[in-house]
Amino acid sequence: MDTDPRFRALLPAPSAEVDLAALYAYPADPVRPWVRCNMVSSADGGAWGASGRTAELSSPADRRVMGVLRGLCDVVLAGAATARIEGYRPVRPREVWSQLREGRPATPSVAVVTRTLDVHPDLLAAAPEDAPTLLFTTASAPEERVRAAEDAGAEVVVAGDGASVDPAAVVRGLAERGLYRVLCEGGPHLLAEFTAAGLVDELCLTTSPHLLGPAASRIVAGDAPSHRADLRLEHLLESEGALFARYTRA
């Protein structure tokens, strides 16, 4: 079992007293979806280790922050490849801070961006009724998989007519369902598409004290157009040698 990690604030003011829930709180009563992306990187910029998963970069402190972020959000959003590689299933109550969810379902919904609807069956059938899995796909998604997903209890949302899912349509679809506090957990391709579309309000970045070498991918990757987004550093925490930065769009 993970030990209870200790955090210290480095910026904006040094402090040994850290209230994670307060530091990572979403804007009060948002009137539109607030898209927060949570990513982890090695010290030399790698997004995952030799296994292709982020577990090699994680730590008890990183998992504690993730539990707070999931406790605060309405929906966990991920790309299909990340959902498969990282073994996504419906969020379990022990993976969130329950006291942060008063008046809401015990766990956030999981939303997956997928053209083929190739997701683990448990992500469809095991989701609770008050937090169903959402699959954002295109009009060309395989009809048999659409029917199977809906029969299993998931909600399939068409969010693109072409070969790819439209990030703006995903955000609109979440808003229509009252899911305003969005936690995007990647991967790099999905993050690139959302940043290129100007839809990322916040980036929470864990910098892990490891070197992975030149073969590792960056936290943004893929074919999205080159773009620039200026960020403002809101806070910087440290725990167990890892740094936890929270940026908002400038």
Side-chain angles (χ1 to χ4, degrees):
M1 179 178 294
D2 292 342
T3 58
D4 190 21
R6 296 184 63 84
F7 292 83
R8 61 190 177 106
L10 304 179
L11 295 171
S15 175
E17 299 297 323
V18 174
D19 184 342
L20 291 176
L23 286 172
Y24 286 102
Y26 283 87
D29 300 322
V31 295
R32 64 165 181 83
W34 179 273
V35 179
R36 163 183 285 165
C37 292
N38 183 42
M39 303 292 286
V40 62
S41 168
S42 65
D44 57 348
W48 54 68
S51 68
R53 302 180 62 200
T54 59
E56 297 167 58
L57 298 175
S58 189
S59 65
D62 183 53
R63 289 186 286 275
R64 174 59 63 89
V65 170
M66 177 176 286
V68 172
L69 298 184
R70 285 187 163 193
L72 290 167
C73 77
D74 296 327
V75 58
V76 174
L77 176 67
T82 294
R84 287 191 295 270
I85 293 170
E86 300 288 353
Y88 271 54
R89 301 293 186 272
V91 178
R92 293 167 290 183
R94 69 177 180 83
E95 295 176 325
V96 302
W97 278 19
S98 59
Q99 62 266 40
L100 302 178
R101 305 198 60 79
E102 184 177 356
R104 296 188 292 164
T107 58
S109 292
V110 173
V112 179
V113 175
T114 170
R115 290 177 299 168
T116 63
L117 277 69
D118 180 15
V119 298
H120 195 282
D122 286 352
L123 192 54
L124 308 176
E129 290 185 5
D130 59 355
T133 294
L134 304 172
L135 301 178
F136 287 94
T137 190
T138 68
S140 60
E143 293 184 5
E144 67 278 6
R145 287 189 174 178
V146 171
R147 290 194 297 270
E150 292 177 336
D151 289 345
E155 184 176 358
V156 179
V157 184
V158 174
D161 297 326
S164 61
V165 175
D166 177 12
V170 172
V171 173
R172 288 196 300 270
L174 295 174
E176 291 167 358
R177 289 155 182 81
L179 303 174
Y180 292 103
R181 300 171 183 87
V182 182
L183 175 61
C184 178
E185 295 182 349
H189 289 256
L190 189 64
L191 178 57
E193 292 168 3
F194 269 69
T195 55
L199 295 171
V200 174
D201 296 292
E202 180 179 329
L203 172 65
C204 296
L205 179 63
T206 299
T207 303
S208 177
H210 301 287
L211 298 174
L212 295 180
S217 171
R218 297 172 61 234
I219 65 168
V220 288
D223 300 323
S226 293
H227 54 278
R228 171 177 171 150
D230 294 328
L231 302 175
R232 178 174 53 244
L233 180 63
E234 300 291 348
H235 72 233
L236 181 65
L237 311 178
E238 185 276 335
S239 181
E240 303 174 345
L243 297 175
F244 299 85
R246 176 176 176 253
Y247 298 94
T248 56
R249 187 165 53 181

